[in-house]
Amino acid sequence: MAGGAEKYIPASEMSEQAEKKRKRRGHAIVAVVILAIAVAALIALYVAVSMYYGKHYFPKTTVGGVSCGNGTAEDVVAANVADADDYFLTVTDRNENQFYIPGLNFDYSYVNSGEEENILEDQDNFRWLFEISKEHDYDLDASFTYDPDKLKELVDALDIFSEDYIEAPEDARLEITDTGYEVIDEVPGTTPIEEEVLSEVTAAIDAQETALTLSDDCYVAPEILSTDPEIADLASTLESYLSSTIHYEIEGADENLTSEKILSFLIITDDGDVSVDEDAVTDFVQHLASTYNTYGDVRDFVTTAGDTVQIGGGDYGWVISKSGEKEQILSDLQGGVAVSREPVYEQRAVQAGPDDIGDTYVEIDYTNQHLWYYKEGELVVDTDIVSGNINRHNGSPDGVFKIAYLERNATLVGEDYESAVDFFMPFAYNVGIHDASWRSSFGGEIYKSNGSHGCINVPREAAETIFNTIEVGTPVVAYYREEVELTAENARISNAYSYVSKDDSEN
């Protein structure tokens, strides 16, 4: 067939194509139905789950510390009720001791306020598909009730308030040791403050806590801490005292008031101040006096004859002023610096050191009735004498004395005599060296039968020479070579070496 002639399709073939189209339409309809059923099923499932989470918490949900995923509000309430029944508070003190307060003992219980249900109602259950993988944590203003009076009774009954438990706090302090001082730290102690303990316990229970460690606010604190400025000030004061050392300038001696010795003077008072023990200072001054005073000391004296006699007594020598030296030490201790000085002397000798007589002195040998006067080592006067009548108990005082004063044209008055002299040089109370114009001879044993009332009689020329060349304070060394007993009042008052009381002499 030419041109636009139509193609011939057999009838059997056309029937077959129509069948295929029909089948495809049927399959499509089935697919749509299945899809519709599936969608409906999914919607129904989603709605069913949404309904479930309308009464259940999402997974991974915590309400007021209670893990309640997929649980109900009633489950949370039940858990809180159970927790309240089992509740107790563990209280730990500063010494790590633990005390327990059971909730049942003060009527601790849970009150359902409906907050758990409110949280659940606020949960967007239709968004469960998007929320089930998330963490959900809700605070619960849970309501717990208890009897505060019973709680107070339980707190008051805790062992931390018992006398056996309580340790009083101790202030930090400075303590003087044998070698210095040290800061003793404060002791916190365990004296509780009832109001603070009850306050912290109540706060812990209100916060539903199960453990409480009492803070420092619950204890009486020391008033003074080792870090306080007053401790540092006290240490500074001690350091100042210990720096106030004294080197004593004493010939032939190395005497020091050391820091160690000063330490023994110091006291920490109950008020926390540094104080000087004045009795200890007095003892130290006594040590100085006992060691370095030469007043009345027994000395080895080398005589003009070349031998050595021992002579003590008298009033000559170094004397440390105990009151003056004590006062000076107390003043030096306030200075905070080392000083070097002499002791405070009440009386000085001519020469420093143990040999304090020097080379200017008067030597009187009563036994040999002779006197020598040396000035700067040179012999000035060498003369016989007449001393006190020893047989009439008027023996002249022996000892180491000093010229007390010089008097020209003196009148010597006694109980039964009155004598005018040109030159009077007393050295032992009212006993002195003077001229004796009434005597024609000196020396020998005159003193035993016709001796003086105690004074040392010398020729006028010798008396004048001594008077014109001697100075007040010059040492006078007077001695007997035999044992004698002096009982006269002038011997007693002048501290004579051989003085004995009349009663002892008679015995």
Side-chain angles (χ1 to χ4, degrees), residues 52-233:
Y52 175 82
Y53 283 117
K55 296 191 177 295
H56 296 79
Y57 298 103
F58 291 138
K60 300 182 180 180
T61 297
T62 302
V63 176
V66 177
S67 179
C68 55
N70 296 318
T72 66
E74 290 76 13
D75 294 335
V76 177
V77 171
N80 283 329
V81 171
D83 287 345
D85 290 341
D86 295 335
Y87 177 81
F88 66 89
L89 178 67
T90 301
V91 180
T92 303
D93 71 359
R94 63 170 30 157
N95 288 340
E96 303 300 324
N97 298 314
Q98 291 187 328
F99 310 91
Y100 305 98
I101 304 177
L104 292 175
N105 290 1
F106 59 96
D107 297 342
Y108 184 83
S109 61
Y110 179 73
V111 177
N112 182 7
S113 64
E115 189 176 357
E116 296 88 348
E117 185 67 31
N118 292 336
I119 292 172
L120 186 57
E121 289 177 355
D122 291 338
Q123 180 176 271
D124 191 351
N125 54 311
F126 285 100
R127 287 183 54 82
W128 64 266
L129 185 61
F130 306 99
E131 302 292 336
I132 58 176
S133 61
K134 297 179 181 179
E135 299 281 348
H136 301 275
D137 189 4
Y138 299 96
D139 290 331
L140 182 64
D141 294 331
S143 178
F144 293 86
T145 184
Y146 57 87
D147 186 329
D149 292 333
K150 288 186 177 180
L151 177 61
K152 184 178 185 304
E153 290 178 3
L154 291 173
V155 170
D156 290 345
L158 293 176
D159 285 344
I160 59 175
F161 294 105
S162 68
E163 291 184 3
D164 293 339
Y165 169 87
I166 294 174
E167 178 186 359
E170 295 180 14
D171 291 340
R173 66 188 188 280
L174 280 187
E175 190 170 281
I176 296 175
T177 67
D178 292 338
T179 57
Y181 65 89
E182 61 179 334
V183 177
I184 306 299
D185 290 336
E186 66 277 2
V187 176
T190 56
T191 303
I193 302 173
E194 181 182 5
E195 297 80 5
E196 292 295 335
V197 173
L198 180 60
S199 175
E200 292 195 4
V201 167
T202 301
I205 292 172
D206 289 344
Q208 303 161 42
E209 296 174 356
T210 58
L212 166 67
T213 298
L214 296 177
S215 72
D216 290 341
D217 292 338
C218 291
Y219 299 92
V220 176
E223 294 182 1
I224 302 174
L225 306 181
S226 59
T227 55
D228 285 353
E230 56 200 280
I231 293 294
D233 291 345

Side-chain angles (χ1 to χ4, degrees), residues 231-293:
I231 293 294
D233 291 345
L234 195 59
S236 177
T237 300
L238 278 170
E239 289 292 350
S240 177
Y241 275 119
L242 298 181
S243 298
S244 304
T245 57
I246 302 173
H247 170 68
Y248 285 98
E249 298 172 352
I250 302 174
E251 185 72 25
D254 184 24
E255 182 69 45
N256 299 282
L257 179 56
T258 63
S259 295
E260 290 75 15
K261 189 63 181 177
I262 293 172
L263 196 64
S264 69
F265 294 171
L266 303 180
I267 300 171
I268 305 295
T269 66
D270 292 339
D271 295 334
D273 294 326
V274 181
S275 176
V276 178
D277 182 352
E278 294 196 17
D279 289 341
V281 177
T282 298
D283 291 343
F284 177 75
V285 172
Q286 181 59 53
H287 152 74
L288 291 178
S290 299
T291 305
Y292 300 106
N293 282 359

Side-chain angles (χ1 to χ4, degrees), residues 336-358:
V337 295
V339 297
S340 181
R341 63 171 176 81
E342 284 187 335
V344 177
Y345 288 111
E346 181 179 306
Q347 175 176 295
R348 306 175 70 90
V350 170
Q351 181 170 291
D355 180 16
D356 57 2
I357 294 175

